[in-house]
Amino acid sequence: MFNNSNEVRKRMYDQERGRRWNMAGNNEEPAVQLICDIIKTKQNNLEVTFERYDEEWFEAYDITLAENEWVKGCSDYLVTLKKPSSEPKFLYMEIKIKAETYRKTNYGGTTRAGSYIPRYNCESYYLDVEPVWKNICDFIEANDLDPDSFWLAFVTEDISSVNVITAGDIMELLENGWGNGYETVNIAVYSEGYGKPAYLIPVNSTYNLNHLDFEDIWSCAEIKKATP
């Protein structure tokens, strides 16, 4: 007898979630260290440090309560930038270890299950609509943060390359769409397979961290450190 398709998807999702959690647990700290090392090369005498940030919030709030769901949107790490003789600035750094991207957005079309996928002219990253993105937005709003200070860093599984995008840029994409060189298309929500509904974020809307100028990074950093 064939397995129920919903049960199969749930089992696959649980297996994939476990794999992603293992990747995160093993690779998040080397990933944020790589990010700090890259930023440090962009300015002489710049101090760049990081601290685990979400644990601080999870200790202060009972995140099992529905009213504290927004707390789960805090970033994994807080990166501190310090120039000589200046006040520090902060980047809220959410690490996404990505083993693969979604390829169908290169050309777009209809999936076998009938979902329409717009043409981005590039591959895309998955970003769960809920709870991940919703919680990030709620955390930013609760702490009155500049959305450009909250970064999502998509790091390859071998911790060799980092692409970044600000929460502010994602908000703009969701509101105004993505210009693929031919037309502007809405950001897709992909809900097939074994995962939860996810936004497909164009890879070409992100920036390779190695190619960003220091002033671009510094201008995004927040002067305020949100604390529980």
Side-chain angles (χ1 to χ4, degrees), residues 116-151:
Y116 170 73
I117 303 297
R119 179 178 181 177
Y120 287 175
N121 276 330
C122 63
E123 296 179 6
S124 49
Y125 295 118
Y126 301 95
L127 177 62
D128 288 353
V129 177
E130 292 188 12
V132 176
W133 176 244
K134 182 181 185 303
N135 287 346
I136 287 173
C137 291
D138 289 345
F139 181 82
I140 289 171
E141 182 178 2
N143 290 282
D144 193 27
L145 296 177
D146 181 347
D148 283 337
S149 71
F150 196 111
W151 285 23

Side-chain angles (χ1 to χ4, degrees), residues 28-41 50 155-156 158-162 209-210:
E28 276 185 358
E29 188 164 322
V32 74
Q33 182 64 66
L34 174 63
I35 290 167
C36 291
D37 290 344
I38 293 172
I39 294 175
K40 192 172 182 179
T41 66
F50 69 86
V155 185
T156 54
D158 63 355
I159 320 298
S160 65
S161 181
V162 183
L209 185 57
N210 282 302

Side-chain angles (χ1 to χ4, degrees), residues 56-74:
E56 179 180 345
W57 285 84
F58 296 165
E59 290 174 1
Y61 289 86
D62 182 354
I63 59 174
T64 66
L65 299 178
E67 66 196 62
N68 293 331
E69 180 68 18
W70 64 273
V71 177
K72 298 177 184 177
C74 66

Side-chain angles (χ1 to χ4, degrees), residues 88-104:
K89 296 182 75 174
F90 305 98
L91 292 173
Y92 298 84
M93 194 68 62
E94 180 73 8
I95 305 296
K96 300 293 182 187
I97 307 295
K98 294 297 178 183
E100 59 183 30
T101 53
Y102 186 64
R103 298 178 181 177
K104 195 169 182 64

Side-chain angles (χ1 to χ4, degrees), residues 6-22:
N6 288 334
E7 293 177 355
V8 171
R9 284 197 294 269
K10 183 180 185 306
R11 186 172 68 250
M12 292 176 68
Y13 174 73
D14 289 342
Q15 290 172 348
E16 171 65 8
R17 180 177 61 179
R19 188 180 72 86
R20 284 188 282 117
W21 283 358
N22 286 336

